[in-house]
Amino acid sequence: MKYSLFTPAFYLALTGASMAGAMSVTVTPSIPSPAPVGTMVTFNTAVSDASPKLWYRFRVRPQNGDYQTVRDFGPVPSLQWTASAHEGAFDVEVTVRDLASGQTERSSALFQFTPLGAAAPVVSPTSHPLVFLYSAPACESLKRMRVEFVGPDGIAQYTAPQDCGAGLSMNFYLAGLRARSTYAARYLLVSPDGSSERGDEVVKFTTGTLPVSLYDADVKIPSVDSSDRILLGSPFTRAAVAHDLAGNVVWYGPSDLAYITRVEAGGYFWGLFGSTTNDPALQLVRKVDLTGMTVLETNAARVSEQLAAMGKRPITAFHHEAVPLPNGRLAVLGGVEEIMTDVQGPGPIDIVGDMIVVLDKDMNVVWSWDAFDFLDVRRKAVLDEKCPQSSCPPMLLAKTGNDWTHANSIQVTHDGNLILSMRHQDWLVKIDYADTWGSGRILWRLGKDGDFTVNSNDPSPWFSHQHDAGFEAEPPLFFSANRYARMLPRLMVFDNGNTRVAAQGGGNSRGQVYEIDESARQATLVLNADLGVYAFAVGSAEKLTDGNYHFDAGYIRETAGVTARAFEVTPDGTITYDAGANTPLYRSFRLADMYTPQ
């Protein structure tokens, strides 16, 4: 049978719905309670009298507190979890849904985590050889605590701060550490007036060894001095790796993510996982902590179930982007498809587009935007890319088709709307989001044949097949003509340059910054850095704290294979740092430490 994404047949195939009987549920921890803070516990679910097609949702709460979803409904029957901030009793709840009968049952296990540093600071190993848990006694209310730790290079690093109070011990993951090295750690207490005091007791610890499967970094142009001392690279289907600017490994991520999409403050990372089976329930978006533990997760089948209930097109998988938004929300990109006749070619053609889905803190759908509803589907991909050759998300309606939009990044703007980068349209579009109240209409299109004129002396000023577009921080105010006004905002983008390179018969990728005058619909190219390499796909662009820019040329075809390069570029286009990787990198990020994204 051939399914349309709107038919009941597709939805029944997605959920496996039929009839079944009653069931009972229990959840059991892998070790007896209590256990020290930071101890990883596996909570296993047992179900009797149910059909084979089950979904499980896991939620956690401090005893008598509010539940927080950790993993939304999906096919995985167990959860690995620990309390890492404070001791206490925690309810771990599982809800099981029988997809055949629709019946749901729940069960919970109460687990007690005990303090490690109740009397004096201690440092404990975790399952990650480069991540340690620092535990300190409770501190006074209204103060904040963070941890300073120093290694053999003498450079001090600092954790994100936490609020004191409630008589609970304080616990912090220490990360950004070199292998086989000894570090010294102590806490800092910060008072409401901004003054701080160091703890008297210094705790020393030694890191472990590295796995052999990590990719290498090759520093070609060393950094003279930078406050953004860490380069985090995310390859495809391999563990992400953080190096210091000298090329030493200081952290690596879990190997069960396809790639990391964004870094969140406090030491958290968003990533995607896609099963080769194309089962939407196994296409995941996941938030992990520094140890790799899952903090929040959902899957494309669960999101599609909610979209279908709202009368919207389901998604086939997540791809390219998962980015945190204000108010604890998350924006993800999903693949959507529709077979259309005589639109992008003769006869029926499966057209693959994109959907933005915004989820709340419990992974519930609160807003969505579908390219089929707001773009002219007659404007096919600029270079006529086809699926599956151009690395499309999974397709459920046909084996081949047109890769129409191929979006790759989302950014929330200063006025509460969204910027979407669409590689195969050579456009950045601004979408009316208005913090979930927007209509989704296209406010403007930036790029060749869009709504802006460009001010530049370059004969080919526009980006093409670009990646990772976004505005810099909100521009400052200035005083002019007896009033205050803002400087024009600047937008960064990595210009892969595929369309330009194809037209010219050669060329390099560029790091670009445009000054954007939305009212006049004019873009002024203020940085157009030739990076000296051509990245056929993927890449990153971000502003560094010293005013320079970071650009990632993520997919460079060379004789020996596919490599990547990460550059630091000054505002005048001078390259001041260059590090290569012996593997393609989907994105890379420059960080001050493992807790602070740009």
mmCIF file of all heavy atoms in Angstrom, residues 68-69 72 270 296 306 327-331 357-367:
data_model
loop_
_atom_site.group_PDB
_atom_site.id
_atom_site.type_symbol
_atom_site.label_atom_id
_atom_site.label_comp_id
_atom_site.label_asym_id
_atom_site.label_seq_id
_atom_site.Cartn_x
_atom_site.Cartn_y
_atom_site.Cartn_z
ATOM 1 N N GLN A 68 9.027 16.645 35.462
ATOM 2 C CA GLN A 68 9.650 17.134 34.241
ATOM 3 C C GLN A 68 9.874 15.941 33.321
ATOM 4 O O GLN A 68 10.461 14.926 33.723
ATOM 5 C CB GLN A 68 10.994 17.816 34.532
ATOM 6 C CG GLN A 68 11.844 18.121 33.302
ATOM 7 C CD GLN A 68 11.201 19.122 32.367
ATOM 8 O OE1 GLN A 68 10.865 20.228 32.783
ATOM 9 N NE2 GLN A 68 11.023 18.757 31.097
ATOM 10 N N THR A 69 9.403 16.058 32.081
ATOM 11 C CA THR A 69 9.636 14.988 31.115
ATOM 12 C C THR A 69 11.130 14.844 30.848
ATOM 13 O O THR A 69 11.840 15.832 30.671
ATOM 14 C CB THR A 69 8.901 15.276 29.806
ATOM 15 O OG1 THR A 69 7.490 15.325 30.054
ATOM 16 C CG2 THR A 69 9.192 14.217 28.752
ATOM 17 N N ASP A 72 9.971 11.598 26.147
ATOM 18 C CA ASP A 72 8.561 11.512 25.787
ATOM 19 C C ASP A 72 8.261 10.144 25.187
ATOM 20 O O ASP A 72 9.165 9.339 24.930
ATOM 21 C CB ASP A 72 8.199 12.641 24.820
ATOM 22 C CG ASP A 72 6.717 12.973 24.844
ATOM 23 O OD1 ASP A 72 5.962 12.300 25.571
ATOM 24 O OD2 ASP A 72 6.301 13.900 24.126
ATOM 25 N N TRP A 270 22.520 19.911 22.554
ATOM 26 C CA TRP A 270 21.414 19.366 21.774
ATOM 27 C C TRP A 270 21.972 18.621 20.569
ATOM 28 O O TRP A 270 22.908 19.089 19.913
ATOM 29 C CB TRP A 270 20.490 20.479 21.292
ATOM 30 C CG TRP A 270 19.639 21.044 22.380
ATOM 31 C CD1 TRP A 270 19.849 22.190 23.094
ATOM 32 C CD2 TRP A 270 18.419 20.483 22.883
ATOM 33 N NE1 TRP A 270 18.853 22.375 24.021
ATOM 34 C CE2 TRP A 270 17.957 21.349 23.916
ATOM 35 C CE3 TRP A 270 17.679 19.352 22.572
ATOM 36 C CZ2 TRP A 270 16.779 21.096 24.618
ATOM 37 C CZ3 TRP A 270 16.509 19.095 23.280
ATOM 38 C CH2 TRP A 270 16.072 19.963 24.290
ATOM 39 N N LEU A 296 16.634 15.349 28.165
ATOM 40 C CA LEU A 296 15.330 15.584 27.534
ATOM 41 C C LEU A 296 15.375 14.980 26.143
ATOM 42 O O LEU A 296 16.377 15.132 25.431
ATOM 43 C CB LEU A 296 15.061 17.090 27.465
ATOM 44 C CG LEU A 296 13.667 17.565 27.050
ATOM 45 C CD1 LEU A 296 12.592 16.992 27.945
ATOM 46 C CD2 LEU A 296 13.616 19.091 27.085
ATOM 47 N N GLN A 306 1.256 14.448 17.460
ATOM 48 C CA GLN A 306 0.673 15.713 17.902
ATOM 49 C C GLN A 306 0.318 16.606 16.714
ATOM 50 O O GLN A 306 -0.735 17.257 16.711
ATOM 51 C CB GLN A 306 1.666 16.430 18.817
ATOM 52 C CG GLN A 306 1.964 15.690 20.106
ATOM 53 C CD GLN A 306 3.021 16.388 20.925
ATOM 54 O OE1 GLN A 306 2.803 17.485 21.428
ATOM 55 N NE2 GLN A 306 4.186 15.764 21.053
ATOM 56 N N ASN A 327 12.094 31.080 26.957
ATOM 57 C CA ASN A 327 10.983 30.468 27.688
ATOM 58 C C ASN A 327 11.054 28.942 27.722
ATOM 59 O O ASN A 327 10.035 28.266 27.856
ATOM 60 C CB ASN A 327 9.629 30.911 27.105
ATOM 61 C CG ASN A 327 9.458 32.412 27.111
ATOM 62 O OD1 ASN A 327 9.815 33.072 28.092
ATOM 63 N ND2 ASN A 327 8.947 32.976 26.024
ATOM 64 N N GLY A 328 12.264 28.401 27.594
ATOM 65 C CA GLY A 328 12.436 26.964 27.698
ATOM 66 C C GLY A 328 11.971 26.183 26.494
ATOM 67 O O GLY A 328 11.869 24.952 26.548
ATOM 68 N N ARG A 329 11.692 26.861 25.383
ATOM 69 C CA ARG A 329 11.215 26.166 24.182
ATOM 70 C C ARG A 329 12.381 25.700 23.322
ATOM 71 O O ARG A 329 13.525 26.103 23.507
ATOM 72 C CB ARG A 329 10.293 27.072 23.378
ATOM 73 C CG ARG A 329 9.039 27.482 24.148
ATOM 74 C CD ARG A 329 8.053 28.193 23.237
ATOM 75 N NE ARG A 329 6.873 28.609 23.968
ATOM 76 C CZ ARG A 329 6.571 29.867 24.280
ATOM 77 N NH1 ARG A 329 7.392 30.852 23.903
ATOM 78 N NH2 ARG A 329 5.486 30.162 24.958
ATOM 79 N N LEU A 330 12.051 24.854 22.356
ATOM 80 C CA LEU A 330 13.033 24.295 21.432
ATOM 81 C C LEU A 330 12.462 24.358 20.028
ATOM 82 O O LEU A 330 11.307 23.996 19.806
ATOM 83 C CB LEU A 330 13.336 22.836 21.793
ATOM 84 C CG LEU A 330 14.299 22.100 20.860
ATOM 85 C CD1 LEU A 330 15.736 22.556 21.114
ATOM 86 C CD2 LEU A 330 14.174 20.592 21.028
ATOM 87 N N ALA A 331 13.267 24.813 19.062
ATOM 88 C CA ALA A 331 12.875 24.778 17.656
ATOM 89 C C ALA A 331 13.676 23.698 16.949
ATOM 90 O O ALA A 331 14.900 23.636 17.076
ATOM 91 C CB ALA A 331 13.111 26.130 16.990
ATOM 92 N N VAL A 357 9.251 23.050 13.884
ATOM 93 C CA VAL A 357 8.368 22.660 14.972
ATOM 94 C C VAL A 357 8.929 23.242 16.263
ATOM 95 O O VAL A 357 10.114 23.054 16.570
ATOM 96 C CB VAL A 357 8.242 21.131 15.091
ATOM 97 C CG1 VAL A 357 7.255 20.766 16.199
ATOM 98 C CG2 VAL A 357 7.814 20.515 13.774
ATOM 99 N N VAL A 358 8.098 23.962 17.002
ATOM 100 C CA VAL A 358 8.499 24.525 18.285
ATOM 101 C C VAL A 358 7.861 23.699 19.399
ATOM 102 O O VAL A 358 6.638 23.493 19.402
ATOM 103 C CB VAL A 358 8.107 26.006 18.403
ATOM 104 C CG1 VAL A 358 8.473 26.555 19.785
ATOM 105 C CG2 VAL A 358 8.803 26.825 17.313
ATOM 106 N N LEU A 359 8.696 23.236 20.329
ATOM 107 C CA LEU A 359 8.268 22.380 21.426
ATOM 108 C C LEU A 359 8.449 23.118 22.751
ATOM 109 O O LEU A 359 9.374 23.922 22.900
ATOM 110 C CB LEU A 359 9.102 21.097 21.450
ATOM 111 C CG LEU A 359 9.168 20.306 20.134
ATOM 112 C CD1 LEU A 359 10.221 19.211 20.238
ATOM 113 C CD2 LEU A 359 7.818 19.720 19.785
ATOM 114 N N ASP A 360 7.592 22.818 23.734
ATOM 115 C CA ASP A 360 7.764 23.411 25.052
ATOM 116 C C ASP A 360 8.723 22.560 25.873
ATOM 117 O O ASP A 360 9.323 21.593 25.376
ATOM 118 C CB ASP A 360 6.418 23.624 25.741
ATOM 119 C CG ASP A 360 5.712 22.322 26.117
ATOM 120 O OD1 ASP A 360 6.332 21.231 26.071
ATOM 121 O OD2 ASP A 360 4.517 22.384 26.463
ATOM 122 N N LYS A 361 8.878 22.878 27.165
ATOM 123 C CA LYS A 361 9.880 22.212 28.005
ATOM 124 C C LYS A 361 9.569 20.744 28.237
ATOM 125 O O LYS A 361 10.455 19.980 28.666
ATOM 126 C CB LYS A 361 10.015 22.935 29.343
ATOM 127 C CG LYS A 361 8.778 22.886 30.216
ATOM 128 C CD LYS A 361 8.996 23.635 31.519
ATOM 129 C CE LYS A 361 7.782 23.532 32.448
ATOM 130 N NZ LYS A 361 7.546 22.155 32.886
ATOM 131 N N ASP A 362 8.328 20.307 27.974
ATOM 132 C CA ASP A 362 7.970 18.898 28.083
ATOM 133 C C ASP A 362 7.820 18.232 26.722
ATOM 134 O O ASP A 362 7.217 17.171 26.609
ATOM 135 C CB ASP A 362 6.679 18.748 28.886
ATOM 136 C CG ASP A 362 6.893 18.985 30.367
ATOM 137 O OD1 ASP A 362 7.812 18.369 30.930
ATOM 138 O OD2 ASP A 362 6.169 19.801 30.955
ATOM 139 N N MET A 363 8.339 18.877 25.685
ATOM 140 C CA MET A 363 8.346 18.350 24.314
ATOM 141 C C MET A 363 6.958 18.275 23.688
ATOM 142 O O MET A 363 6.703 17.457 22.804
ATOM 143 C CB MET A 363 9.015 16.964 24.253
ATOM 144 C CG MET A 363 10.457 16.956 24.701
ATOM 145 S SD MET A 363 11.638 17.675 23.513
ATOM 146 C CE MET A 363 11.792 19.376 24.121
ATOM 147 N N ASN A 364 6.056 19.171 24.120
ATOM 148 C CA ASN A 364 4.758 19.290 23.477
ATOM 149 C C ASN A 364 4.835 20.312 22.350
ATOM 150 O O ASN A 364 5.462 21.367 22.492
ATOM 151 C CB ASN A 364 3.701 19.748 24.492
ATOM 152 C CG ASN A 364 3.523 18.754 25.605
ATOM 153 O OD1 ASN A 364 3.320 17.567 25.373
ATOM 154 N ND2 ASN A 364 3.621 19.216 26.845
ATOM 155 N N VAL A 365 4.177 20.041 21.235
ATOM 156 C CA VAL A 365 4.169 20.959 20.090
ATOM 157 C C VAL A 365 3.328 22.186 20.437
ATOM 158 O O VAL A 365 2.166 22.062 20.845
ATOM 159 C CB VAL A 365 3.599 20.273 18.843
ATOM 160 C CG1 VAL A 365 3.509 21.262 17.683
ATOM 161 C CG2 VAL A 365 4.452 19.069 18.449
ATOM 162 N N VAL A 366 3.924 23.375 20.278
ATOM 163 C CA VAL A 366 3.191 24.611 20.557
ATOM 164 C C VAL A 366 3.078 25.509 19.325
ATOM 165 O O VAL A 366 2.292 26.472 19.333
ATOM 166 C CB VAL A 366 3.823 25.400 21.717
ATOM 167 C CG1 VAL A 366 3.722 24.626 23.015
ATOM 168 C CG2 VAL A 366 5.289 25.750 21.425
ATOM 169 N N TRP A 367 3.852 25.226 18.259
ATOM 170 C CA TRP A 367 3.795 26.063 17.055
ATOM 171 C C TRP A 367 4.524 25.323 15.947
ATOM 172 O O TRP A 367 5.446 24.550 16.204
ATOM 173 C CB TRP A 367 4.469 27.409 17.304
ATOM 174 C CG TRP A 367 4.275 28.461 16.245
ATOM 175 C CD1 TRP A 367 3.226 29.322 16.124
ATOM 176 C CD2 TRP A 367 5.169 28.787 15.171
ATOM 177 N NE1 TRP A 367 3.407 30.161 15.043
ATOM 178 C CE2 TRP A 367 4.607 29.858 14.444
ATOM 179 C CE3 TRP A 367 6.402 28.279 14.758
ATOM 180 C CZ2 TRP A 367 5.218 30.418 13.318
ATOM 181 C CZ3 TRP A 367 7.026 28.837 13.643
ATOM 182 C CH2 TRP A 367 6.427 29.896 12.930
#
